[in-house]
Each structure stands twice: as structure tokens, then as C-alpha cells.
């Protein structure tokens, strides 16, 4: 501003001219743009002030502009301050909204310039996106702790060794998997309750409840070897806590992002649950060797309570009325109109039953493999079998991420069908290697791919629930669908263990699971969107030929 041709009375003293001093009204903005800069000789106020104060008017026009006081007490849009002699009245009129001039003047004379609506919207979108990613990563961290459920095969091995050696665990060998099966069942049932709690009290409170329940369950089982205590501690308390924590991680993350990113965000958040075994499996193996099973459970309980409750403080729903910006214009055009279903309305939807059965089969078959992963690999890898548990967790997490991204591109139904067919083929391919004479590398790859396919379930089905039934009642709706996961785990895991005890191997259970997976793939075909058939049209040339033939016959 220094050296510019400005009015000598501009912003120097309010006793001369108050344009530009204190509150800048729309009229002030117009005067500044039109007269104060270079064209002040035409201003009627300047001519009047120059006649009254000739010394000030001839005092040089090229001079640095002094900053006038702003935001003075008592200054208001329509107030005028008295002047010596005849006061100069400011002709302010409310009908002069000048947003462009205001933006120009504010940007020129003020450091904190005025932002346009578009600029403010962009800033808000950037802040919302950052907040959404914080919620998504916090949910992933919570699932990394709660994923200890997938390392049950390591705890199961310690219990089995104790039973064989006549140790403190005096259980029936056929019931070793019962705490795990009960935990899966309670996990799925708790999802429905947790969904209701989340809708009423928010995801943060729900997640803290889950962390406390998991900690209480692990501390309980660390003090006892009784079968029913493990059912209640690990199966009921820990299973319920995992359900509360898991249900509070995914829904709020999905609410912060557009429908075009539903599969991706769901895959990222739930991948933490599958990836947990990467660090928990070797850590659990070390703790079991140094401190024993029960002391290890105590350490896990205390640690995971602290981690889950701390990360829960970062979880929150978006504010009321928040609408995420679409990731792409094309995605917004393709998005179907949102319809929010209540939980009771799901029972009238044929898609709900189809999805439930597919989830039951896909999850049950995958959990059957996860629960017996160490036993499958021990015959081939010996004491290094715990590595399979860690490696397959990478496949579990990868399946969730890949399925989320692929389903966003190719469609949920197509991805689900391919996953079920692939999983069934792997079940049949694994049968020749179940005798313990298979190649260790092939066994590891087969187990990893089976768990990869299982992981796709946990990314696809929450996305199905959001697409079909909306986000308003997502917590309870997905909880009802997730009951298929728990019942599938309880039934198929229990049946698999019984068949193993009866036949001495996994061949029968793998064959039965393979058949069920192919049945599920056939059911999933009904979920594919059918294109509307175009009405049949008769070519114009054919119509002309028919008319010509009719005329010839008439002649």
C-alpha cells in the first residue's frame, strides 16, 4: 500500500473521514474501491473536507497509510461519529450487499481475509477427511487388540498339551474348542446389543465397555483351569467385550466417508482384527514358554484393556447433518437413493436371508480352519507351526482389504460369488494334504488362502448392509446379519471338532465345508443386479418390407 495514490483523509483520523475506520460496512467497501484509491478527487466527501481543511488536503498524497483502529467499542454498522463543524453523515443502506467489494477490501487491508463459501467448504471437507481417517485408524488399532480371538489355536494347543500330560486342565478332548465356539456365538449376539447401545450412547462408550469386558474375561481365566470358568470368562465375557468393541469400530468410520469408499474403509478397519495374529501369535508363544498359559492371559487382559479404552477416546460419529463429499462425480451419479430400514423390516427382505446363509457358510468354514490352523500345520512344521498362525493373519487382513477395494469396482455380489467358489475349491484341494505328509510350503499357502477368503466376508457383509439398508440403523442391522457369523462358528467349529475326534482327521469336515461353500455360491447369484431388458423393436426396414408385401397382396 506504500506509495499508492490515496485520499489524504483515508483512515487517518475519524474526525476527518470515517470510511475505512473501525467497522467496514458494505458502503465503506464500495467507497474504497470507487473513490479512495486514485479517484478521490471525484468524491463529494473529499471536496467538502478539502474546502474545510485545505492544509490537510495539500499535505501530499503519496504517503504510507496509517493503520486505523479497528473493532472499537461502540462501533456498529449504522453508527456515525460526530465531526467538527457540520458532520459528515455516512449514507449507509442495508440494500447494498457487496460481497465482492468486501472480499477485495478485506483481502487488501486486513491480514485475516474473508473466505468465500467455496473456500470454507473446502476447508471443512479437509478437516472432516482428516477426522475421518483418525477415526478409521483408531478403529483399526482397536481391532488389532481384539483380534486375539484368532490366536485361540495357540491357547488351545497349550490346553491340549496339559490334558495329555495330566496337568491342571482336566477337560474332555472333544470340548477343547468350546470356549472359542462360545466366544464366537456371544460375539455375534453382542453385536446386536452393542448396536443398540451405540445408537443411544455413541461408539466411544460402547468401545470402552468392550475393553473392560475383554479385560475382565481374561483376568478371570488367568485365575482358574475349570472348564465352565473358561466358558464364562473367555467365551461369555471376552466374547461380549469383543462384540462391543468390534461393533463400535466400523460404523463410525463408514459414516465419515462417501459411499464410493465404503468397501475400502470397511476393509481397512476390519483388517486390524485379522492382522492381530502377526504380533499376538509370536508374543503368545513366547509368554506361554516363559510364564505359562494363565499368567500370559493376565498380561493380555490388562494390556488390551488399556489399549482399547485409550483408542476409544478417538472414536466418534460425525456431527448431525454431516454429508460426506463424494470421492468422484461418477460415484455420486451411480449411488442409489438411500433407504434406511429398521431392524424389523429386514425380516421381510429376501436378501437378508440369502446374505445370512452365505455369511453362515463362509464364516463358519473359515473359522473352522482358523481354530485348527496350528493342528493342521503341526504335522508338517513341528514346533514352528505357530508361524502359520502369524502368516495366515496376513492373508486374513489382505482378504479384507482386497475384497473392499474390488467390491467397490466390480460389485459386492460378484466378489462374494467368486470368494465362495474359490474357498470351496481350496477345501477340496486341501484334503490330500491333511494326512501330515504334505509339503509344508503348500500347507502354509493353502491355509493362508483359505483365511484370505474368510477375511473377505468381514469386508463384504458390512458393505452389503450399508448398501441395502442404509446407515441410520446400521449398528443393529449389521448386528442381526452378523449373528450368522457367530452361529456359523459355533455350529461348524463344534461339528468339525466332533468329526475329528470320531474319524481321527479333518477329511470329512473339509469335504462337507466344501460342499456347503458351493451351495452358498449358487445362492449368492440371486444377489446380482439384473439389468432391465430393453423393449423389443422391429427394424424399420422390416416394417417397410411387411407393408410392401401387404400392398402387393392387396393388388
Amino acid at each position: 500500500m506504500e506509495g499508492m495514490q490515496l485520499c489524504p483523509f483515508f483512515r487517518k483520523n475519524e474526525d476527518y473521514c470515517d470510511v475505512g475506520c473501525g467497522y467496514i460496512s458494505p458502503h465503506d467497501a464500495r467507497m474504497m474501491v470507487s473513490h479512495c484509491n486514485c479517484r478521490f478527487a471525484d468524491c463529494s466527501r473529499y471536496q467538502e473536507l478539502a474546502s474545510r481543511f485545505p492544509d490537510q488536503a495539500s499535505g501530499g498524497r503519496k504517503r504510507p497509510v496509517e493503520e486505523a483502529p479497528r473493532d472499537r467499542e461502540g462501533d456498529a454498522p449504522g453508527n456515525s461519529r460526530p465531526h467538527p463543524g457540520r458532520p459528515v453523515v455516512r449514507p449507509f443502506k442495508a440494500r447494498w450487499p457487496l460481497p465482492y467489494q468486501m472480499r477485495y477490501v478485506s483481502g487488501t487491508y486486513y491480514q485475516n481475509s474473508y473466505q468465500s463459501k467455496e473456500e470454507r467448504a473446502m476447508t471443512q471437507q479437509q478437516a472432516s477427511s482428516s477426522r475421518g481417517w483418525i477415526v478409521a485408524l483408531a478403529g483399526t488399532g482397536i481391532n488389532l487388540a481384539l483380534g486375539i480371538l484368532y490366536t485361540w489355536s495357540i491357547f488351545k494347543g497349550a490346553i491340549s498339551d496339559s490334558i495329555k500330560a495330566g496337568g491342571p486342565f482336566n477337560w474332555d478332548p472333544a470340548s477343547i474348542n468350546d470356549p472359542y465356539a462360545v466366544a464366537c456365538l456371544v460375539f455375534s449376539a453382542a453385536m446386536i446389543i452393542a448396536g443398540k447401545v451405540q445408537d443411544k450412547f455413541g461408539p466411544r462408550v460402547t468401545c470402552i465397555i468392550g475393553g473392560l469386558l475383554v479385560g475382565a474375561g481374561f483376568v478371570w481365566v488367568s485365575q482358574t483351569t475349570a472348564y465352565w470358568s473358561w466358558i464364562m470368562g473367555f467365551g461369555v465375557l471376552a466374547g461380549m467385550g469383543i462384540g462391543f468393541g468390534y461393533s463400535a469400530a466400523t460404523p463410525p468410520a463408514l459414516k465419515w466417508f462417501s459411499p464410493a469408499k465404503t468397501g475400502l474403509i470397511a476393509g481397512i478397519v476390519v483388517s486390524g482384527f485379522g492382522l492381530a495374529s502377526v504380533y499376538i501369535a509370536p508374543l503368545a508363544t513366547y509368554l506361554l514358554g516363559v510364564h505359562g498359559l494363565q499368567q500370559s492371559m493376565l498380561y493380555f487382559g490388562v494390556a488390551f484393556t488399556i489399549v482399547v479404552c485409550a483408542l476409544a477416546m478417538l472414536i466418534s460419529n460425525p456431527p448431525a447433518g454431516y454429508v460426506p463429499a463424494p470421492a468422484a462425480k461418477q460415484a455420486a451419479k451411480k449411488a442409489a437413493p438411500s433407504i434406511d430400514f429398521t431392524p424389523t423390516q429386514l425380516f421381510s427382505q429376501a436378501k437378508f436371508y440369502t446374505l445370512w446363509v452365505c455369511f453362515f457358510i463362509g464364516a463358519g468354514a473359515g473359522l473352522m480352519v482358523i481354530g485348527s490352523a496350528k493342528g493342521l500345520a503341526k504335522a508338517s512344521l513341528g514346533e514352528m507351526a505357530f508361524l502359520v498362525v502369524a502368516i495366515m493373519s496376513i492373508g486374513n487382513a489382505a482378504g479384507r482389504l482386497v475384497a473392499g477395494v474390488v467390491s467397490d469396482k466390480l460389485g459386492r455380489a460378484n466378489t462374494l460369488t467368486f470368494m465362495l467358489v474359490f474357498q470351496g475349491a481350496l477345501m477340496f484341494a486341501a484334503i490330500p494334504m491333511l494326512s501330515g505328509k504334505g509339503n509344508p510350503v503348500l500347507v502354509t499357502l493353502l491355509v493362508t488362502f483359505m483365511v484370505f477368503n474368510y477375511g473377505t466376508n468381514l469386508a463384504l457383509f458390512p458393505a452389503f448392509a450399508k448398501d441395502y439398508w442404509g446407515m441410520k440403523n446400521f449398528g443393529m442391522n449389521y448386528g442381526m446379519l452378523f449373528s450368522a457369523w457367530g452361529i456359523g462358528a459355533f455350529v461348524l467349529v463344534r461339528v468339525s471338532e466332533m468329526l475329528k475326534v470320531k474319524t481321527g482327521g479333518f477329511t470329512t469336515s473339509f469335504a462337507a465345508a466344501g460342499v456347503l461353500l458351493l451351495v452358498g455360491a449358487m445362492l449368492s447369484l440371486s444377489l446380482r443386479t439384473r439389468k432391465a431388458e430393453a423393449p423389443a423393436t422391429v427394424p424399420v426396414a422390416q416394417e417397410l418390407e411387411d407393408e410392401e408385401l401387404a400392398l402387393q397382396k392387396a393388388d
Side-chain angles (χ1 to χ4, degrees), residues 18 48 140 151 213 223 366 376 383 449 456 499 542:
D18 61 354
E48 180 182 359
T140 305
T151 57
L213 287 173
Q223 306 301 313
L376 288 170
E383 294 301 322
F449 275 113
T456 61
L499 290 174
Q542 182 67 35

Side-chain angles (χ1 to χ4, degrees), residues 131 134-135 138 204 310-316:
R131 179 59 183 159
I134 291 173
V135 173
R204 184 175 300 163
L311 290 175
M313 305 307 294
L314 301 175
I315 299 291
S316 65

